Amino acid sequence: MNPAEEYILNQPEPYRGILLYLQAVIEGAIPGVELKFKYKIPFYYINGKPYCYLNQSKDYVDLGFWNAAHLTVHLEQMNTEGRKMMKSLRYKSLEDIDTTVLKEVLEDAYSVKDRKFWK
């Protein structure tokens, strides 16, 4: 088991369930993603470039997007609190996850995966 998987499995509920669900959706929806452990959290890479990350913090799970400056869908549902460039979908329970929105944001992030971090 790699450190990213250990991170996910070592989280308390309900965060472990949220992380496992997000992992399944990401790996099922996005071709060629590779789960690594960077910056002490699970990070998905595509062709050696950062794509998104999973982070359990306080009372929620963040699904953060690397090229967030280029995202165009569901921006009203993205969290930017205390950040200049990063945007994330934030979940406190499995019931908070709208799978349609999640997949549309993942696809949008995939479409801008080759753009630079900054706009």
Side-chain angles (χ1 to χ4, degrees):
M1 185 177 332
N2 73 38
E5 291 169 334
E6 281 184 43
Y7 173 97
I8 291 168
L9 293 175
N10 286 332
Q11 299 306 311
E13 289 296 349
Y15 312 115
R16 177 181 17 201
I18 296 168
L19 289 162
L20 287 168
Y21 182 77
L22 294 173
Q23 180 183 18
V25 172
I26 292 165
E27 292 177 7
I30 304 302
V33 291
E34 182 181 2
L35 183 60
K36 297 184 178 189
F37 193 68
K38 301 286 183 174
Y39 313 108
K40 299 182 182 180
I41 58 174
F43 230 107
Y44 279 100
Y45 280 70
I46 300 173
N47 298 326
K49 295 180 181 178
Y51 171 69
C52 69
Y53 65 85
L54 301 169
N55 185 30
Q56 192 277 309
S57 180
K58 299 179 186 174
D59 64 342
Y60 56 85
V61 170
D62 255 346
L63 169 58
F65 294 91
W66 190 258
N67 286 350
H70 305 286
L71 296 178
T72 59
V73 301
H74 302 294
L75 297 178
E76 73 284 354
Q77 296 188 37
M78 304 288 268
N79 184 288
T80 60
E81 182 181 331
R83 306 173 188 162
K84 291 182 180 180
M85 297 301 295
M86 298 300 287
K87 294 180 178 90
S88 66
L89 292 170
R90 187 167 282 182
Y91 304 110
K92 292 186 177 192
S93 71
L94 276 171
E95 294 75 28
D96 288 346
I97 301 172
D98 181 328
T99 304
T100 300
V101 168
L102 172 59
K103 287 182 177 181
E104 289 173 359
V105 173
L106 289 168
E107 290 167 9
D108 189 32
Y110 185 78
S111 74
V112 298
K113 70 184 182 321
D114 294 322
R115 294 197 186 168
K116 296 194 184 284
F117 182 80
W118 300 97
K119 223 173 191 185

